[in-house]
């Protein structure tokens, strides 16, 4: 099975670093978050990736072009300028990087890689979020559902503690530290899709968000399945998120490290 990763956006909310690189290449523990996401999939036997690139795609291409060399022991013989690759430590991944346009929206990016999918079920996610999600279980539950698309959903905690006060006496009746947000499940961005999902993309898909009309129509047609994830999930939307993920990794408390 292939995993498709959206990695072409401008990342404007993370301009401190995205002026130099696409957001999926921002590092956690010395490795791009894109690498971390691929490692999660690889832990469940998915090693064939299609990366929907766009903004500063050269950074992604150069990273994988040099990946084998940078993850190998190597001998440089300066007397004859020869290079001998010794033991290699890189993953056995197949990585297809597709230029899906600079300003293309997610539906357009997905449509542009259709020819690389064929008539196969595939996984789909964004290049800026990590999780301890059991990918194998999402695929199994998707197959059982018989739906065209399975969306992993997550209920985030609230940002602040919740205080319940008796309006007449002013007495605090209960307090809960950072309860579940508003009780709503949100799109966590890890999908399992049947190829018929491409039928929901419009002819001119470039200006269309996959999360808007296509997903709304799939849901309205009753062919979308929800996989409820109650473990760890965190998107990296801004510098603060990157710093939190760095701290987790540095202290060996990274729940997404399932490999």
């Amino acid at each position: 099975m292939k995993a498709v990763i959206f990695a072409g956006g401008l990342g404007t909310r993370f301009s401190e670093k995205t002026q130099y690189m696409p957001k999926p290449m921002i590092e956690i523990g010395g490795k791009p978050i894109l690498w971390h996401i691929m490692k999660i999939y690889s832990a469940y036997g998915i090693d064939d990736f299609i990366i929907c690139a766009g903004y500063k795609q050269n950074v992604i291409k150069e990273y994988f072009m040099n990946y084998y060399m940078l993850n190998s022991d190597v001998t440089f013989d300066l007397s004859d300028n020869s290079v001998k690759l010794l033991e290699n430590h890189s993953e056995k991944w197949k990585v297809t990087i597709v230029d899906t346009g600079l300003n293309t929206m997610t539906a357009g990016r997905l449509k542009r890689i259709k020819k690389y999918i064929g008539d196969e079920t595939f996984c789909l996610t964004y290049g800026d979020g990590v999780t301890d999600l059991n990918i194998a279980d999402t695929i199994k539950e998707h197959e059982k559902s018989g739906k065209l698309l399975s969306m992993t959903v997550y209920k985030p905690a609230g940002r602040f503690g919740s205080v319940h006060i008796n309006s007449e006496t002013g007495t605090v009746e209960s307090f809960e530290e950072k309860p579940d947000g508003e009780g709503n499940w949100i799109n966590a961005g890890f999908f399992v899709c049947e190829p018929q999902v491409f039928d929901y993309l419009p002819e001119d898909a470039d200006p269309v968000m996959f999360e808007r009309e296509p997903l709304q129509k799939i849901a309205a047609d009753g062919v979308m399945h929800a996989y409820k994830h109650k473990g760890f999930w965190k998107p990296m939307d801004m510098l603060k998120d990157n710093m939190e993920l760095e701290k987790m990794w540095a202290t060996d408390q990274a729940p997404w490290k399932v490999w």
Side-chain angles (χ1 to χ4, degrees):
M1 187 177 290
K2 296 180 176 68
V4 177
I5 304 176
F6 289 131
L10 299 177
T12 53
R13 285 182 291 180
F14 213 146
S15 58
E16 301 94 336
K17 294 192 176 184
T18 54
Q19 59 181 312
Y20 307 111
M21 66 185 73
K23 188 163 68 165
M25 295 304 293
I26 294 172
E27 294 184 348
I28 301 169
K31 297 283 190 179
I33 190 172
L34 178 62
W35 177 90
H36 290 262
I37 295 166
M38 294 167 74
K39 288 288 284 187
I40 295 169
Y41 276 106
S42 185
Y44 295 99
I46 298 176
D47 296 316
D48 193 347
F49 299 95
I50 299 175
I51 299 176
C52 301
Y55 175 69
K56 294 191 180 296
Q57 61 179 290
N58 62 295
V59 179
I60 302 175
K61 291 177 177 176
E62 288 168 3
Y63 177 76
F64 286 106
M65 183 172 64
N66 297 317
Y67 193 87
Y68 190 92
M69 170 70 79
L70 294 176
N71 287 276
S72 296
D73 297 330
V74 58
T75 297
F76 297 97
D77 189 335
L78 303 185
S79 66
D80 60 3
N81 198 30
S82 64
V83 179
K84 182 179 181 181
L85 295 178
L86 306 175
E87 186 174 350
N88 178 257
H89 308 288
S90 62
E91 291 77 10
K92 293 178 172 58
W93 292 343
K94 178 181 178 183
V95 185
T96 302
I97 303 169
V98 182
D99 178 5
T100 56
L102 180 60
N103 299 306
T104 311
M105 297 292 102
T106 46
R109 295 193 189 282
L110 183 58
K111 187 164 187 173
R112 291 190 185 202
I113 59 90
K114 177 182 177 182
K115 61 184 177 182
Y116 300 107
I117 294 295
D119 191 26
E120 301 176 6
T121 305
F122 64 98
C123 293
L124 171 68
T125 193
Y126 303 93
D128 62 356
V130 288
T131 180
D132 61 357
L133 179 68
N134 186 317
I135 301 294
D137 197 45
T138 66
I139 295 170
K140 181 175 70 175
E141 290 299 313
H142 170 75
E143 292 171 346
K144 286 172 58 178
S145 75
K147 304 296 186 182
L148 291 189
L149 179 144
S150 290
M151 171 194 289
T152 295
V153 295
Y154 182 79
K155 189 181 290 187
R159 293 180 58 197
F160 307 104
S162 176
V163 181
H164 300 277
I165 304 171
N166 186 301
S167 59
E168 296 181 359
T169 66
T171 303
V172 175
E173 297 180 337
S174 66
F175 172 77
E176 185 179 1
E177 177 64 10
K178 295 184 178 180
D180 288 342
E182 298 177 351
N184 296 322
W185 293 89
I186 65 169
N187 172 17
F190 285 79
F191 305 92
V192 184
C193 308
E194 296 301 320
Q196 289 81 4
V197 164
F198 290 106
D199 297 337
Y200 284 83
L201 304 181
E203 189 65 29
D204 180 15
D206 281 4
V208 177
M209 295 290 291
F210 180 60
E211 302 77 10
R212 300 280 175 82
E213 294 92 339
L215 283 186
Q216 290 169 0
K217 184 67 165 59
I218 292 170
D221 286 351
V223 289
M224 181 187 296
H225 169 71
Y227 181 91
K228 294 180 179 179
H229 178 55
K230 299 180 181 179
F232 174 84
W233 171 78
K234 184 172 179 59
M236 191 178 70
D237 287 330
M238 55 189 71
L239 184 59
K240 177 179 71 72
D241 301 319
N242 180 234
M243 293 173 66
E244 290 175 0
L245 292 170
E246 278 277 11
K247 184 177 180 180
M248 291 180 194
W249 186 265
T251 56
D252 293 323
Q253 296 178 339
W256 70 90
K257 189 180 179 183
V258 295
W259 57 90

